[in-house]
Amino acid sequence: HDSARVFRPSEVLRTNRAVAHVTDNILSTRSPEITISKLKIKFVLTQHESLTIGKSVARAMATQKFGAAEFEVTTDKAYKICSPADFLHFGKQFNDFVGACPDAFAGLTRLWLRNMRFGEFDIPNILSTCKLLESLRLSHCDSGIHSVLQVEHAQLVELHIDYGEFEAVHLNCLPKLQRVKYVGWSY
């Protein structure tokens, strides 16, 4: 759960650089014959380090076998101190990240996003890019107050939303869906 702690920019950059470096180092030196059973990467959304992580994962997915791959993406500001402009900025930044690394997202099986506000079609576009996605968790993410989330995905098994501002969630075509959880729905 997000806290109100504010990370100093130097802490965020240092930690993210280390995550990006370790991810790139491990994935670029692994033997392609060895299957990666589970890859889980938690990182703060920043332009340079996020791209390094995304491109490293995309290269590895092109040459190696993966059992499961997960991104947990957070922001350098906790939701309690984010302004509406911050949420929009983080949503745009994430969309740019997906656009720059579609091959990494195409192989993800789990995705957890925090503190982002998307345009009406952004989440459906993210879902269409994440072709293998089985689990989507959105914490303090939405498309604006009273927005409607349209969800359609062939592989999605689990949808978990924490404290979004959605007025409704339309589950359109989800043949494998088994679990839906919405915490903090005020409408």
Side-chain angles (χ1 to χ4, degrees):
H1 189 67
D2 282 6
S3 69
R5 176 169 167 19
V6 179
F7 294 96
R8 292 192 318 254
S10 60
E11 290 177 306
V12 172
L13 289 174
R14 185 172 53 252
T15 302
N16 251 24
R17 281 187 190 125
V19 170
H21 176 73
V22 168
T23 300
D24 188 46
N25 208 12
I26 290 172
L27 293 179
S28 65
T29 58
R30 271 186 80 81
S31 169
E33 290 82 37
I34 301 172
T35 299
I36 297 172
S37 61
K38 184 175 182 181
L39 174 70
K40 180 178 180 179
I41 306 173
K42 179 179 180 179
F43 57 98
V44 176
L45 184 64
T46 58
Q47 187 174 5
H48 180 68
E49 286 78 17
S50 298
L51 287 175
T52 299
I53 292 166
K55 290 178 188 283
S56 298
V57 171
R59 274 194 308 274
M61 286 180 174
T63 59
Q64 299 180 25
K65 293 181 182 176
F66 277 77
E70 177 178 349
F71 281 172
E72 182 179 335
V73 184
T74 190
T75 56
D76 60 352
K77 279 188 172 181
Y79 79 94
K80 290 181 181 178
I81 60 170
C82 283
S83 69
D86 290 330
F87 287 111
L88 287 168
H89 169 73
F90 295 139
K92 182 187 178 326
Q93 194 175 6
F94 183 76
N95 281 330
D96 292 346
F97 176 37
V98 173
C101 303
D103 293 342
F105 285 90
L108 289 183
T109 53
R110 300 179 65 86
L111 179 61
W112 184 358
L113 304 177
R114 297 175 189 238
N115 311 329
M116 298 176 199
R117 177 158 286 164
F118 297 99
E120 180 182 358
F121 300 107
D122 291 343
I123 294 175
N125 288 339
I126 292 166
L127 285 170
S128 69
T129 302
C130 299
K131 297 178 185 348
L132 302 179
L133 200 64
E134 296 173 4
S135 176
L136 175 64
R137 183 168 182 181
L138 303 171
S139 298
H140 302 282
C141 294
D142 55 53
S143 296
I145 296 172
H146 302 297
S147 58
V148 175
L149 175 60
Q150 303 284 341
V151 184
E152 184 174 325
H153 197 278
Q155 302 299 319
L156 200 65
V157 174
E158 176 181 58
L159 174 64
H160 185 149
I161 302 170
D162 301 306
Y163 303 100
E165 295 288 341
F166 298 110
E167 183 171 310
V169 178
H170 291 181
L171 305 175
N172 296 328
C173 182
L174 297 146
K176 295 189 177 181
L177 189 67
Q178 296 176 17
R179 293 175 299 283
V180 176
K181 185 173 183 179
Y182 199 126
V183 176
W185 192 10
S186 60
Y187 297 103

